[in-house]
Amino acid sequence: MFSSLSVVLFFGLLTPSQGLLETVGTIARIDKDELASAIQNSLVGGPILQNVLGTVTSLNQGLLGSGGLLGGGGLLSYGGIVGVVEEVSGLKIEELTLPKLSLRLLPGFGVQLSLLTKVSLHGSGPLGSLLQVAAEVNVSSRVALGVSPKGTPILIVKSCSTLLGHINLLSGLLPAPLFGVVEQTLCKVLPRLLCPIVDSVLQVVNELLGSVLSLVPIGALGTVEFTLATLPLISNQYIQLDINPLVKSVAGDLIDLPEPPKPIKLPPKEDHTSQVTVPLYLFNTVFGVLQTNGAMDIDITSELVPGSIPMTTTALSGLVPKALESLPPDQPLLITLRVKKAPEFMLKTGKASVSIPESIEVFVHHSQGTRESLFSLNSVLTLSAQLATSATKLHVSLSLERLSAKLVSSYSANFDGSLLEEWLSDVVRSVYVPKLNVDLEVGIPLPKILNINFANAALEIIDNAVLLTVASRG
């Protein structure tokens, strides 16, 4: 059995609330298995173990040679032991068994991280034989949670010590007195040699935690910056991060929220899953940016509309004959849609939709390039929103549910604007909605949390938020 390399991480003294979350934006609940998997992957794919070995084997005389720990005032160059021990030369760590990791969260305290490992040492014995020694090690380190100058959480090693487990002589001859000296020497030097593993693991964790705070572009519209609202909180199954998404213009100016954040009530988290919420106000802010930049405005000419949808004065007169009967026949139409105020996105249990207030004006488009206003309408487009995830984004696709129209002014007699709703709906559905969906292809960025891939996340629409649930990789 391997001994354990144990690390206690102090993340905070509070536990996450299960109740109503009123003041934060994105909530991320990172399952302990996900954190363990991220650390394990860093050990497998990264240079952590290789770096430790490289440091050790670069010593010319190894651990116990005359140029190493025993000679010239080394750790054990006293007493009369030196004459015996110097016959063990070039003892080096040649192999570290890949640590097997387990992790336990300690509510109100921190995290206990266990790495199961074994050290293999090679050297020359007193009789010239090749020595092979295997040792089990228990290294424990206390790590405090601090805050970097950038405002990101960082883990700082406060102490590190080792407890040597069982030692096996795999090959070669080593007298019993000398075996004891080797054991004493390893007890003194292994902290210096193996504690860098703890440092390296913490560096990886710090990078992964710090990557939550990132600036992510929204196409050419601006950026979303994710910042921590509080220090991480701990329960017995997950670490909670409270994150504020801040939307900025291309110029870097902070865009005010269209309305105060609405409260979010999260359902309980299942074991072996991580949760991330996308709050309602982030949708509204992104749509507000589209509206402010004019990306939601459009001029619709007959060339953009399918031939099955009439775009002439003759067809229009047929829809409202009494009011528009004096229109010149067979003249092409031009329709302008302008969004005068920010759309309102809505998230209710199981359903996402957006309401867009539009000012619609219909013109006669004369052949010489001039245009003549016929009438203007105030309308409201209600569109259902279909949501899907990719690895790093939440994507929104819209489809028209209904259009309501009310006449504001007309070049001739007033009429009931609702008579044109079906015709306008066909125009909007064929031209305007596809334009909006192209603009929305940039997606809504998701925070970078331990490199979690959201492509296969389970998506649930709850009141005032979208909840993404990802199965842990651990």
Side-chain angles (χ1 to χ4, degrees):
M1 294 287 294
F2 292 134
S3 297
S4 63
L5 172 61
S6 301
V7 184
V8 178
L9 313 179
F10 297 94
F11 273 95
L13 299 177
L14 301 176
T15 56
S17 169
Q18 297 285 343
L20 216 56
L21 303 168
E22 299 189 15
T23 59
V24 295
T26 295
I27 308 298
R29 291 174 171 176
I30 305 171
D31 189 74
K32 66 182 184 69
D33 292 346
E34 190 68 45
L35 181 60
S37 176
I39 297 173
Q40 185 70 45
N41 289 341
S42 71
L43 289 169
V44 173
I48 293 175
L49 300 184
Q50 293 87 335
N51 287 346
V52 172
L53 289 176
T55 301
V56 174
T57 56
S58 67
L59 299 174
N60 293 333
Q61 299 297 324
L63 300 181
L64 301 177
S66 60
L69 295 169
L70 299 180
L75 291 178
L76 296 180
S77 58
Y78 57 88
I81 299 177
V82 176
V84 180
V85 177
E86 281 184 338
E87 296 184 33
V88 180
S89 62
L91 192 60
K92 304 176 182 179
I93 293 182
E94 296 286 351
E95 182 181 358
L96 279 174
T97 301
L98 179 66
K100 295 182 180 179
L101 180 143
S102 63
L103 182 147
R104 184 165 66 95
L105 299 183
L106 308 174
F109 180 71
V111 179
Q112 180 171 301
L113 179 68
S114 297
L115 299 175
L116 308 179
T117 189
K118 182 180 285 187
V119 181
S120 294
L121 304 104
H122 293 192
S124 299
L127 302 180
S129 60
L130 178 65
L131 289 177
Q132 290 183 304
V133 180
E136 298 173 357
V137 187
N138 183 331
V139 180
S140 62
S141 179
R142 284 188 173 269
V143 181
L145 178 65
V147 179
S148 75
K150 295 181 179 180
T152 61
I154 57 172
L155 301 172
I156 306 168
V157 178
K158 292 297 184 181
S159 64
C160 184
S161 60
T162 63
L163 177 64
L164 195 63
H166 186 63
I167 299 177
N168 285 326
L169 181 62
L170 302 180
S171 66
L173 297 175
L174 196 62
L178 192 56
F179 192 90
V181 172
V182 170
E183 183 176 12
Q184 293 177 48
T185 303
L186 292 178
C187 286
K188 292 179 180 293
V189 301
L190 282 177
R192 179 171 63 85
L193 300 175
L194 297 184
C195 283
I197 296 178
V198 178
D199 288 325
S200 298
V201 167
L202 293 183
Q203 288 177 16
V204 173
V205 176
N206 286 338
E207 290 175 3
L208 293 173
L209 289 174
S211 66
V212 174
L213 307 185
S214 56
L215 196 66
V216 185
I218 318 173
L221 299 175
T223 58
V224 175
E225 182 178 4
F226 294 99
T227 63
L228 282 185
T230 63
L231 287 177
L233 307 176
I234 280 191
S235 79
N236 61 347
Q237 286 295 322
Y238 59 87
I239 296 171
Q240 178 170 306
L241 302 178
D242 297 340
I243 305 168
N244 281 332
L246 304 176
V247 181
K248 297 185 176 182
S249 67
V250 176
D253 299 324
L254 184 64
I255 297 173
D256 292 334
L257 298 178
E259 57 185 16
K262 295 183 178 179
I264 301 171
K265 188 172 184 179
L266 290 180
K269 189 187 81 66
E270 297 181 0
D271 290 345
H272 313 301
T273 64
S274 295
Q275 292 177 330
V276 174
T277 64
V278 184
L280 172 62
Y281 79 81
L282 184 55
F283 289 88
N284 277 327
T285 306
V286 170
F287 271 85
V289 173
L290 287 170
Q291 183 264 328
T292 302
N293 290 356
M296 305 189 78
D297 298 338
I298 189 174
D299 291 347
I300 302 175
T301 63
S302 57
E303 291 80 11
L304 299 176
V305 179
S308 58
I309 301 173
M311 281 286 287
T312 64
T313 52
T314 300
L316 195 59
S317 297
L319 295 174
V320 192
K322 291 184 178 180
L324 304 176
E325 60 185 4
S326 61
L327 287 176
D330 297 324
Q331 296 297 304
L333 300 175
L334 168 69
I335 303 174
T336 64
L337 279 72
R338 300 290 184 265
V339 181
K340 299 300 184 183
K341 64 179 187 177
E344 182 182 2
F345 209 88
M346 290 160 282
L347 293 170
K348 298 295 181 183
T349 302
K351 181 176 175 60
S353 61
V354 61
S355 177
I356 305 177
E358 298 270 8
S359 174
I360 298 178
E361 192 164 3
V362 179
F363 299 85
V364 176
H365 197 197
H366 297 295
S367 57
Q368 61 268 33
T370 61
R371 60 188 189 182
E372 177 186 355
S373 177
L374 299 179
F375 54 85
S376 61
L377 305 161
N378 283 337
S379 66
V380 176
L381 309 184
T382 302
L383 304 103
S384 62
Q386 294 75 46
L387 308 178
T389 58
S390 63
T392 59
K393 294 182 179 181
L394 180 62
H395 298 276
V396 181
S397 177
L398 303 176
S399 59
L400 182 66
E401 283 190 358
R402 65 182 180 275
L403 179 152
S404 61
K406 182 178 180 180
L407 183 69
V408 175
S409 63
S410 174
Y411 85 109
S412 61
N414 290 335
F415 58 90
D416 184 358
S418 64
L419 297 173
L420 299 177
E421 289 177 356
E422 184 177 352
W423 171 67
L424 287 172
S425 295
D426 290 339
V427 174
V428 166
R429 191 176 288 111
S430 64
V431 180
Y432 186 58
V433 173
K435 176 202 182 309
L436 293 180
N437 285 332
V438 169
D439 293 332
L440 290 170
E441 285 179 357
V442 295
I444 296 177
L446 300 171
K448 298 177 182 179
I449 305 173
L450 298 182
N451 295 326
I452 293 176
N453 187 329
F454 292 96
N456 297 317
L459 188 152
E460 180 183 359
I461 300 172
I462 60 177
D463 285 347
N464 304 321
V466 173
L467 177 64
L468 304 179
T469 301
V470 183
S472 297
R473 291 170 289 181

